[in-house]
Short mmCIF file of all heavy atoms in Angstrom, two decimals:
data_model
loop_
_atom_site.label_atom_id
_atom_site.label_comp_id
_atom_site.label_asym_id
_atom_site.label_seq_id
_atom_site.Cartn_x
_atom_site.Cartn_y
_atom_site.Cartn_z
N MET A 1365 34.63 28.55 123.67
CA MET A 1365 35.60 27.66 124.22
C MET A 1365 35.83 26.47 123.29
O MET A 1365 36.41 25.49 123.69
CB MET A 1365 35.15 27.15 125.57
CG MET A 1365 35.37 28.04 126.75
SD MET A 1365 34.77 29.62 126.67
CE MET A 1365 34.13 30.36 127.90
N GLY A 1366 35.34 26.59 122.08
CA GLY A 1366 35.58 25.53 121.11
C GLY A 1366 36.93 25.71 120.45
O GLY A 1366 37.71 26.59 120.78
N ARG A 1367 37.19 24.86 119.49
CA ARG A 1367 38.47 24.90 118.81
C ARG A 1367 38.48 25.90 117.66
O ARG A 1367 39.50 26.15 117.07
CB ARG A 1367 38.81 23.52 118.29
CG ARG A 1367 39.00 22.52 119.41
CD ARG A 1367 39.42 21.20 118.90
NE ARG A 1367 38.57 20.78 117.78
CZ ARG A 1367 38.44 19.55 117.36
NH1 ARG A 1367 39.12 18.59 117.94
NH2 ARG A 1367 37.67 19.24 116.35
N HIS A 1368 37.34 26.44 117.32
CA HIS A 1368 37.26 27.35 116.19
C HIS A 1368 37.55 28.77 116.63
O HIS A 1368 37.04 29.24 117.64
CB HIS A 1368 35.87 27.28 115.55
CG HIS A 1368 35.54 25.91 115.08
ND1 HIS A 1368 36.11 25.34 113.97
CD2 HIS A 1368 34.71 24.96 115.59
CE1 HIS A 1368 35.64 24.12 113.80
NE2 HIS A 1368 34.79 23.85 114.78
N ARG A 1369 38.38 29.41 115.85
CA ARG A 1369 38.73 30.78 116.18
C ARG A 1369 37.97 31.74 115.27
O ARG A 1369 37.61 31.40 114.14
CB ARG A 1369 40.22 31.02 115.97
CG ARG A 1369 41.07 30.23 116.93
CD ARG A 1369 42.52 30.57 116.79
NE ARG A 1369 42.95 30.34 115.40
CZ ARG A 1369 44.09 30.79 114.88
NH1 ARG A 1369 44.90 31.49 115.62
NH2 ARG A 1369 44.40 30.54 113.64
N LYS A 1370 37.77 32.95 115.76
CA LYS A 1370 37.14 33.99 114.97
C LYS A 1370 38.15 34.46 113.92
O LYS A 1370 39.32 34.67 114.24
CB LYS A 1370 36.76 35.17 115.88
CG LYS A 1370 36.20 36.35 115.16
CD LYS A 1370 35.95 37.49 116.13
CE LYS A 1370 35.73 38.75 115.34
NZ LYS A 1370 35.85 39.94 116.13
N PRO A 1371 37.73 34.66 112.66
CA PRO A 1371 38.67 35.14 111.65
C PRO A 1371 39.12 36.57 111.99
O PRO A 1371 38.38 37.32 112.62
CB PRO A 1371 37.87 35.10 110.35
CG PRO A 1371 36.45 35.03 110.76
CD PRO A 1371 36.40 34.42 112.12
N PRO A 1372 40.31 36.95 111.58
CA PRO A 1372 40.79 38.30 111.89
C PRO A 1372 39.94 39.36 111.19
O PRO A 1372 39.37 39.11 110.13
CB PRO A 1372 42.22 38.31 111.38
CG PRO A 1372 42.28 37.22 110.37
CD PRO A 1372 41.27 36.20 110.80
N ASP A 1373 39.86 40.52 111.80
CA ASP A 1373 39.14 41.63 111.18
C ASP A 1373 39.86 42.03 109.89
O ASP A 1373 41.09 42.00 109.83
CB ASP A 1373 39.09 42.83 112.13
CG ASP A 1373 38.19 42.57 113.34
OD1 ASP A 1373 37.25 41.76 113.21
OD2 ASP A 1373 38.43 43.17 114.39
N PRO A 1374 39.10 42.43 108.87
CA PRO A 1374 39.75 42.83 107.61
C PRO A 1374 40.56 44.10 107.81
O PRO A 1374 40.20 44.96 108.60
CB PRO A 1374 38.57 43.07 106.66
CG PRO A 1374 37.41 43.30 107.55
CD PRO A 1374 37.66 42.54 108.80
N VAL A 1375 41.65 44.20 107.08
CA VAL A 1375 42.50 45.39 107.13
C VAL A 1375 42.18 46.24 105.91
O VAL A 1375 42.35 45.79 104.77
CB VAL A 1375 43.99 45.00 107.14
CG1 VAL A 1375 44.86 46.24 107.13
CG2 VAL A 1375 44.30 44.13 108.34
N LEU A 1376 41.67 47.44 106.15
CA LEU A 1376 41.31 48.34 105.06
C LEU A 1376 42.46 49.30 104.78
O LEU A 1376 43.21 49.67 105.67
CB LEU A 1376 40.07 49.15 105.45
CG LEU A 1376 38.80 48.34 105.71
CD1 LEU A 1376 37.68 49.24 106.19
CD2 LEU A 1376 38.37 47.59 104.47
N PRO A 1377 42.60 49.72 103.51
CA PRO A 1377 43.64 50.71 103.21
C PRO A 1377 43.32 52.04 103.89
O PRO A 1377 42.17 52.33 104.22
CB PRO A 1377 43.59 50.84 101.68
CG PRO A 1377 42.28 50.28 101.27
CD PRO A 1377 41.85 49.32 102.34
N ASP A 1378 44.36 52.85 104.10
CA ASP A 1378 44.17 54.13 104.77
C ASP A 1378 43.21 55.06 104.04
O ASP A 1378 42.56 55.89 104.66
CB ASP A 1378 45.52 54.85 104.94
CG ASP A 1378 46.43 54.12 105.91
OD1 ASP A 1378 45.92 53.36 106.76
OD2 ASP A 1378 47.65 54.32 105.81
N ASP A 1379 43.13 54.93 102.73
CA ASP A 1379 42.26 55.81 101.96
C ASP A 1379 40.94 55.17 101.56
O ASP A 1379 40.29 55.59 100.61
CB ASP A 1379 43.00 56.33 100.73
CG ASP A 1379 43.49 55.21 99.81
OD1 ASP A 1379 43.31 54.03 100.15
OD2 ASP A 1379 44.05 55.53 98.75
N ALA A 1380 40.51 54.18 102.30
CA ALA A 1380 39.27 53.47 101.97
C ALA A 1380 38.07 54.41 101.98
O ALA A 1380 37.16 54.26 101.17
CB ALA A 1380 39.04 52.31 102.93
N ASP A 1381 38.05 55.38 102.90
CA ASP A 1381 36.92 56.29 102.97
C ASP A 1381 36.80 57.14 101.70
O ASP A 1381 35.69 57.37 101.20
CB ASP A 1381 37.01 57.19 104.20
CG ASP A 1381 38.30 57.96 104.30
OD1 ASP A 1381 39.29 57.56 103.67
OD2 ASP A 1381 38.33 58.98 105.01
N MET A 1382 37.92 57.57 101.13
CA MET A 1382 37.89 58.36 99.90
C MET A 1382 37.47 57.49 98.71
O MET A 1382 36.72 57.93 97.85
CB MET A 1382 39.26 58.99 99.63
CG MET A 1382 39.69 59.96 100.70
SD MET A 1382 38.62 61.41 100.83
CE MET A 1382 39.32 62.40 99.55
N GLN A 1383 37.93 56.25 98.69
CA GLN A 1383 37.54 55.34 97.61
C GLN A 1383 36.03 55.08 97.66
O GLN A 1383 35.35 55.12 96.63
CB GLN A 1383 38.30 54.03 97.73
CG GLN A 1383 39.77 54.15 97.42
CD GLN A 1383 40.51 52.83 97.59
OE1 GLN A 1383 39.94 51.81 97.95
NE2 GLN A 1383 41.80 52.85 97.33
N LEU A 1384 35.51 54.83 98.85
CA LEU A 1384 34.07 54.57 98.99
C LEU A 1384 33.24 55.81 98.65
O LEU A 1384 32.16 55.69 98.07
CB LEU A 1384 33.75 54.09 100.40
CG LEU A 1384 34.27 52.69 100.73
CD1 LEU A 1384 34.05 52.38 102.21
CD2 LEU A 1384 33.59 51.66 99.86
N LYS A 1385 33.74 56.99 98.99
CA LYS A 1385 33.04 58.23 98.67
C LYS A 1385 32.90 58.40 97.16
O LYS A 1385 31.85 58.79 96.66
CB LYS A 1385 33.79 59.42 99.28
CG LYS A 1385 33.10 60.73 99.11
CD LYS A 1385 33.86 61.84 99.83
CE LYS A 1385 33.19 63.17 99.68
NZ LYS A 1385 33.93 64.24 100.37
N ALA A 1386 33.96 58.10 96.41
CA ALA A 1386 33.93 58.21 94.95
C ALA A 1386 32.99 57.18 94.34
O ALA A 1386 32.20 57.50 93.45
CB ALA A 1386 35.33 58.03 94.38
N ILE A 1387 33.04 55.97 94.85
CA ILE A 1387 32.18 54.90 94.32
C ILE A 1387 30.71 55.19 94.62
O ILE A 1387 29.84 55.10 93.75
CB ILE A 1387 32.62 53.53 94.88
CG1 ILE A 1387 34.00 53.16 94.34
CG2 ILE A 1387 31.60 52.45 94.54
CD1 ILE A 1387 34.66 51.99 95.04
N ALA A 1388 30.42 55.57 95.86
CA ALA A 1388 29.03 55.83 96.25
C ALA A 1388 28.47 57.06 95.56
O ALA A 1388 27.30 57.10 95.20
CB ALA A 1388 28.94 56.00 97.77
N GLY A 1389 29.31 58.08 95.35
CA GLY A 1389 28.86 59.31 94.71
C GLY A 1389 28.81 59.24 93.20
O GLY A 1389 28.20 60.08 92.55
N GLY A 1390 29.47 58.25 92.62
CA GLY A 1390 29.45 58.08 91.18
C GLY A 1390 30.27 59.12 90.43
O GLY A 1390 30.07 59.34 89.24
N ARG A 1391 31.19 59.80 91.12
CA ARG A 1391 32.05 60.79 90.47
C ARG A 1391 33.41 60.81 91.17
O ARG A 1391 33.53 60.41 92.33
CB ARG A 1391 31.42 62.18 90.50
CG ARG A 1391 31.13 62.69 91.87
CD ARG A 1391 30.29 63.97 91.80
NE ARG A 1391 29.87 64.32 93.13
CZ ARG A 1391 30.24 65.42 93.75
NH1 ARG A 1391 31.00 66.29 93.16
NH2 ARG A 1391 29.83 65.67 94.96
N PRO A 1392 34.43 61.29 90.45
CA PRO A 1392 35.77 61.29 91.03
C PRO A 1392 35.88 62.19 92.27
O PRO A 1392 35.20 63.20 92.39
CB PRO A 1392 36.66 61.84 89.91
CG PRO A 1392 35.86 61.67 88.67
CD PRO A 1392 34.43 61.75 89.06
N VAL A 1393 36.75 61.79 93.18
CA VAL A 1393 37.07 62.58 94.37
C VAL A 1393 38.58 62.83 94.32
O VAL A 1393 39.36 61.92 94.11
CB VAL A 1393 36.70 61.82 95.66
CG1 VAL A 1393 37.16 62.57 96.88
CG2 VAL A 1393 35.20 61.57 95.72
N VAL A 1394 38.97 64.11 94.49
CA VAL A 1394 40.38 64.49 94.38
C VAL A 1394 40.89 64.99 95.72
O VAL A 1394 40.22 65.76 96.40
CB VAL A 1394 40.55 65.59 93.30
CG1 VAL A 1394 42.00 66.05 93.24
CG2 VAL A 1394 40.10 65.08 91.94
N GLU A 1395 42.09 64.54 96.07
CA GLU A 1395 42.78 65.00 97.27
C GLU A 1395 44.13 65.56 96.83
O GLU A 1395 44.87 64.91 96.11
CB GLU A 1395 42.98 63.83 98.24
CG GLU A 1395 43.67 64.21 99.52
CD GLU A 1395 43.86 63.02 100.44
OE1 GLU A 1395 43.98 61.88 99.95
OE2 GLU A 1395 43.90 63.25 101.65
N GLU A 1396 44.45 66.81 97.26
CA GLU A 1396 45.70 67.45 96.89
C GLU A 1396 46.38 68.03 98.12
O GLU A 1396 45.72 68.35 99.11
CB GLU A 1396 45.45 68.59 95.89
CG GLU A 1396 44.86 68.15 94.59
CD GLU A 1396 44.55 69.31 93.67
OE1 GLU A 1396 43.99 70.31 94.13
OE2 GLU A 1396 44.87 69.17 92.48
N GLY A 1397 47.69 68.17 98.06
CA GLY A 1397 48.41 68.76 99.17
C GLY A 1397 49.90 68.80 98.93
O GLY A 1397 50.39 68.50 97.84
N VAL A 1398 50.63 69.22 99.96
CA VAL A 1398 52.09 69.29 99.92
C VAL A 1398 52.60 68.46 101.08
O VAL A 1398 52.05 68.51 102.18
CB VAL A 1398 52.58 70.75 100.03
CG1 VAL A 1398 54.10 70.81 100.09
CG2 VAL A 1398 52.05 71.57 98.88
N VAL A 1399 53.68 67.71 100.83
CA VAL A 1399 54.22 66.83 101.86
C VAL A 1399 55.75 66.98 101.91
O VAL A 1399 56.39 67.24 100.90
CB VAL A 1399 53.83 65.36 101.58
CG1 VAL A 1399 54.45 64.85 100.31
CG2 VAL A 1399 54.20 64.46 102.73
N MET A 1400 56.28 66.85 103.12
CA MET A 1400 57.73 66.77 103.34
C MET A 1400 57.98 65.38 103.93
O MET A 1400 57.45 65.06 104.99
CB MET A 1400 58.21 67.82 104.33
CG MET A 1400 58.24 69.23 103.80
SD MET A 1400 59.63 69.58 102.73
CE MET A 1400 60.97 69.57 103.89
N PHE A 1401 58.74 64.57 103.25
CA PHE A 1401 59.02 63.23 103.74
C PHE A 1401 60.03 63.29 104.89
O PHE A 1401 60.86 64.20 104.94
CB PHE A 1401 59.55 62.35 102.61
CG PHE A 1401 58.52 62.09 101.55
CD1 PHE A 1401 58.62 62.70 100.31
CD2 PHE A 1401 57.45 61.26 101.81
CE1 PHE A 1401 57.66 62.48 99.34
CE2 PHE A 1401 56.48 61.02 100.83
CZ PHE A 1401 56.60 61.64 99.60
N PRO A 1402 59.96 62.36 105.83
CA PRO A 1402 60.89 62.37 106.97
C PRO A 1402 62.35 62.37 106.50
O PRO A 1402 62.74 61.59 105.65
CB PRO A 1402 60.57 61.07 107.71
CG PRO A 1402 59.19 60.72 107.29
CD PRO A 1402 59.02 61.24 105.90
N GLY A 1403 63.12 63.31 107.04
CA GLY A 1403 64.53 63.41 106.70
C GLY A 1403 64.82 64.14 105.40
O GLY A 1403 65.97 64.33 105.04
N ALA A 1404 63.78 64.55 104.66
CA ALA A 1404 63.98 65.23 103.38
C ALA A 1404 63.99 66.75 103.58
O ALA A 1404 63.47 67.26 104.55
CB ALA A 1404 62.86 64.86 102.41
N THR A 1405 64.61 67.44 102.63
CA THR A 1405 64.64 68.89 102.67
C THR A 1405 63.87 69.50 101.51
O THR A 1405 63.86 70.71 101.34
CB THR A 1405 66.10 69.39 102.62
OG1 THR A 1405 66.70 68.90 101.43
CG2 THR A 1405 66.87 68.92 103.84
N VAL A 1406 63.24 68.66 100.70
CA VAL A 1406 62.55 69.11 99.51
C VAL A 1406 61.06 68.80 99.63
O VAL A 1406 60.68 67.66 99.92
CB VAL A 1406 63.12 68.38 98.26
CG1 VAL A 1406 62.40 68.79 97.01
CG2 VAL A 1406 64.60 68.64 98.14
N PRO A 1407 60.19 69.80 99.42
CA PRO A 1407 58.75 69.53 99.46
C PRO A 1407 58.26 68.92 98.13
O PRO A 1407 58.84 69.16 97.08
CB PRO A 1407 58.15 70.92 99.68
CG PRO A 1407 59.13 71.85 99.07
CD PRO A 1407 60.49 71.23 99.27
N TYR A 1408 57.20 68.16 98.23
CA TYR A 1408 56.56 67.55 97.07
C TYR A 1408 55.07 67.87 97.09
O TYR A 1408 54.45 67.88 98.15
CB TYR A 1408 56.73 66.02 97.08
CG TYR A 1408 58.12 65.56 96.77
CD1 TYR A 1408 59.10 65.51 97.74
CD2 TYR A 1408 58.45 65.17 95.48
CE1 TYR A 1408 60.39 65.08 97.46
CE2 TYR A 1408 59.74 64.73 95.18
CZ TYR A 1408 60.69 64.69 96.17
OH TYR A 1408 61.96 64.26 95.88
N ALA A 1409 54.52 68.13 95.91
CA ALA A 1409 53.07 68.29 95.77
C ALA A 1409 52.52 66.93 95.36
O ALA A 1409 53.12 66.21 94.57
CB ALA A 1409 52.75 69.33 94.71
N TYR A 1410 51.36 66.58 95.93
CA TYR A 1410 50.74 65.32 95.55
C TYR A 1410 49.29 65.56 95.15
O TYR A 1410 48.65 66.52 95.58
CB TYR A 1410 50.82 64.28 96.66
CG TYR A 1410 49.99 64.62 97.89
CD1 TYR A 1410 48.66 64.21 97.98
CD2 TYR A 1410 50.52 65.36 98.94
CE1 TYR A 1410 47.89 64.53 99.08
CE2 TYR A 1410 49.77 65.67 100.05
CZ TYR A 1410 48.45 65.25 100.12
OH TYR A 1410 47.70 65.58 101.21
N ARG A 1411 48.79 64.69 94.30
CA ARG A 1411 47.40 64.72 93.87
C ARG A 1411 46.96 63.28 93.71
O ARG A 1411 47.60 62.49 93.00
CB ARG A 1411 47.27 65.46 92.54
CG ARG A 1411 45.84 65.58 92.05
CD ARG A 1411 45.80 66.42 90.76
NE ARG A 1411 44.48 66.88 90.45
CZ ARG A 1411 43.59 66.17 89.75
NH1 ARG A 1411 43.93 64.98 89.29
NH2 ARG A 1411 42.40 66.66 89.52
N THR A 1412 45.87 62.94 94.36
CA THR A 1412 45.31 61.60 94.26
C THR A 1412 43.87 61.73 93.79
O THR A 1412 43.09 62.46 94.38
CB THR A 1412 45.36 60.87 95.62
OG1 THR A 1412 46.69 60.89 96.12
CG2 THR A 1412 44.89 59.43 95.48
N GLU A 1413 43.55 61.02 92.73
CA GLU A 1413 42.18 61.02 92.21
C GLU A 1413 41.60 59.62 92.36
O GLU A 1413 42.16 58.64 91.86
CB GLU A 1413 42.15 61.44 90.74
CG GLU A 1413 40.74 61.48 90.18
CD GLU A 1413 40.68 62.02 88.76
OE1 GLU A 1413 41.58 62.78 88.36
OE2 GLU A 1413 39.73 61.66 88.05
N TYR A 1414 40.48 59.54 93.07
CA TYR A 1414 39.76 58.29 93.28
C TYR A 1414 38.61 58.24 92.30
O TYR A 1414 37.74 59.12 92.30
CB TYR A 1414 39.24 58.21 94.72
CG TYR A 1414 40.33 58.35 95.75
CD1 TYR A 1414 40.64 59.59 96.29
CD2 TYR A 1414 41.07 57.26 96.16
CE1 TYR A 1414 41.66 59.73 97.22
CE2 TYR A 1414 42.09 57.39 97.09
CZ TYR A 1414 42.37 58.64 97.62
OH TYR A 1414 43.37 58.78 98.54
N GLY A 1415 38.59 57.24 91.44
CA GLY A 1415 37.55 57.14 90.42
C GLY A 1415 36.34 56.37 90.91
O GLY A 1415 36.44 55.54 91.82
N PRO A 1416 35.18 56.64 90.30
CA PRO A 1416 33.96 55.93 90.69
C PRO A 1416 33.99 54.44 90.34
O PRO A 1416 33.19 53.68 90.85
CB PRO A 1416 32.86 56.67 89.93
CG PRO A 1416 33.54 57.36 88.82
CD PRO A 1416 34.94 57.63 89.27
N ASP A 1417 34.95 54.04 89.51
CA ASP A 1417 35.08 52.62 89.16
C ASP A 1417 36.08 51.90 90.05
O ASP A 1417 36.42 50.75 89.81
CB ASP A 1417 35.48 52.48 87.69
CG ASP A 1417 36.80 53.17 87.38
OD1 ASP A 1417 37.33 53.90 88.25
OD2 ASP A 1417 37.30 53.00 86.25
N GLY A 1418 36.57 52.60 91.10
CA GLY A 1418 37.49 51.99 92.04
C GLY A 1418 38.96 52.22 91.73
O GLY A 1418 39.83 51.78 92.48
N THR A 1419 39.26 52.92 90.64
CA THR A 1419 40.65 53.19 90.30
C THR A 1419 41.21 54.32 91.17
O THR A 1419 40.47 55.17 91.66
CB THR A 1419 40.79 53.59 88.82
OG1 THR A 1419 39.99 54.75 88.58
CG2 THR A 1419 40.36 52.47 87.90
N VAL A 1420 42.53 54.29 91.34
CA VAL A 1420 43.22 55.34 92.10
C VAL A 1420 44.41 55.78 91.27
O VAL A 1420 45.22 54.96 90.85
CB VAL A 1420 43.70 54.82 93.47
CG1 VAL A 1420 44.45 55.91 94.22
CG2 VAL A 1420 42.52 54.33 94.30
N CYS A 1421 44.53 57.09 91.02
CA CYS A 1421 45.64 57.65 90.26
C CYS A 1421 46.37 58.64 91.15
O CYS A 1421 45.79 59.60 91.63
CB CYS A 1421 45.11 58.35 89.00
SG CYS A 1421 46.42 59.08 88.01
N ARG A 1422 47.67 58.37 91.38
CA ARG A 1422 48.47 59.23 92.26
C ARG A 1422 49.58 59.90 91.45
O ARG A 1422 50.23 59.25 90.63
CB ARG A 1422 49.09 58.42 93.39
CG ARG A 1422 48.07 57.92 94.37
CD ARG A 1422 48.75 57.29 95.58
NE ARG A 1422 47.76 57.00 96.59
CZ ARG A 1422 47.22 55.81 96.79
NH1 ARG A 1422 47.56 54.80 96.05
NH2 ARG A 1422 46.33 55.63 97.75
N GLU A 1423 49.80 61.19 91.74
CA GLU A 1423 50.89 61.94 91.12
C GLU A 1423 51.69 62.61 92.22
O GLU A 1423 51.15 63.09 93.20
CB GLU A 1423 50.33 63.00 90.18
CG GLU A 1423 49.52 62.44 89.04
CD GLU A 1423 48.90 63.54 88.18
OE1 GLU A 1423 49.46 64.65 88.12
OE2 GLU A 1423 47.85 63.27 87.58
N LEU A 1424 53.01 62.64 92.04
CA LEU A 1424 53.91 63.26 92.99
C LEU A 1424 54.91 64.11 92.21
O LEU A 1424 55.54 63.61 91.27
CB LEU A 1424 54.65 62.17 93.78
CG LEU A 1424 55.53 62.62 94.93
CD1 LEU A 1424 54.69 63.25 96.04
CD2 LEU A 1424 56.30 61.44 95.48
N VAL A 1425 55.02 65.41 92.58
CA VAL A 1425 55.87 66.33 91.84
C VAL A 1425 56.79 67.05 92.82
O VAL A 1425 56.33 67.60 93.82
CB VAL A 1425 55.02 67.37 91.07
CG1 VAL A 1425 55.91 68.36 90.34
CG2 VAL A 1425 54.09 66.69 90.10
N ARG A 1426 58.07 67.06 92.50
CA ARG A 1426 59.05 67.78 93.32
C ARG A 1426 58.86 69.28 93.11
O ARG A 1426 58.77 69.76 91.98
CB ARG A 1426 60.45 67.36 92.89
CG ARG A 1426 61.54 68.02 93.68
CD ARG A 1426 62.89 67.61 93.13
NE ARG A 1426 63.91 68.44 93.74
CZ ARG A 1426 65.09 68.02 94.07
NH1 ARG A 1426 65.43 66.77 93.84
NH2 ARG A 1426 65.95 68.82 94.63
N LEU A 1427 58.81 70.04 94.19
CA LEU A 1427 58.55 71.47 94.10
C LEU A 1427 59.82 72.32 94.09
O LEU A 1427 59.80 73.44 93.60
CB LEU A 1427 57.66 71.94 95.26
CG LEU A 1427 56.25 71.38 95.26
CD1 LEU A 1427 55.49 71.89 96.47
CD2 LEU A 1427 55.52 71.74 93.98
N ALA A 1428 60.90 71.85 94.64
CA ALA A 1428 62.11 72.64 94.74
C ALA A 1428 62.85 72.69 93.42
O ALA A 1428 62.96 71.69 92.71
CB ALA A 1428 63.02 72.09 95.83
N ALA A 1429 63.38 73.86 93.10
CA ALA A 1429 64.20 73.99 91.91
C ALA A 1429 65.65 73.67 92.25
O ALA A 1429 66.03 73.65 93.41
CB ALA A 1429 64.09 75.42 91.37
N GLY A 1430 66.44 73.45 91.23
CA GLY A 1430 67.85 73.21 91.47
C GLY A 1430 68.24 71.80 91.10
O GLY A 1430 67.42 71.00 90.69
N PRO A 1431 69.51 71.49 91.29
CA PRO A 1431 69.99 70.14 90.92
C PRO A 1431 69.46 69.07 91.87
O PRO A 1431 69.19 69.34 93.05
CB PRO A 1431 71.51 70.27 91.04
CG PRO A 1431 71.71 71.38 92.02
CD PRO A 1431 70.55 72.33 91.83
N PHE A 1432 69.28 67.90 91.34
CA PHE A 1432 68.85 66.77 92.16
C PHE A 1432 70.03 66.26 92.96
O PHE A 1432 71.17 66.28 92.51
CB PHE A 1432 68.31 65.62 91.29
CG PHE A 1432 66.99 65.93 90.67
CD1 PHE A 1432 66.89 66.42 89.40
CD2 PHE A 1432 65.82 65.71 91.40
CE1 PHE A 1432 65.66 66.69 88.83
CE2 PHE A 1432 64.59 65.98 90.85
CZ PHE A 1432 64.50 66.49 89.55
N PRO A 1433 69.79 65.79 94.18
CA PRO A 1433 70.89 65.23 94.98
C PRO A 1433 71.43 63.97 94.32
O PRO A 1433 70.70 63.24 93.67
CB PRO A 1433 70.26 64.92 96.33
CG PRO A 1433 68.80 65.02 96.15
CD PRO A 1433 68.53 65.76 94.88
N GLU A 1434 72.71 63.74 94.50
CA GLU A 1434 73.33 62.55 93.87
C GLU A 1434 73.39 61.41 94.84
O GLU A 1434 73.36 61.50 95.98
CB GLU A 1434 74.74 62.91 93.41
CG GLU A 1434 74.69 63.93 92.30
CD GLU A 1434 76.09 64.27 91.81
OE1 GLU A 1434 77.03 63.52 92.07
OE2 GLU A 1434 76.20 65.30 91.15
#
């Protein structure tokens, strides 16, 4: 009931568990998959590598062949 408020809880990134797994294990952790973005008709492959030094490298590749939309 004092004037001091509790500080807000920290907000962690969505992939914090993968980052911590790479750091704690001392080796890279890789996550791969295919995603369709909302409203899109083209699938994309993604690959995210979490390094033991805390780095994150993300790659996104369009899977559909053909001309790009204008």
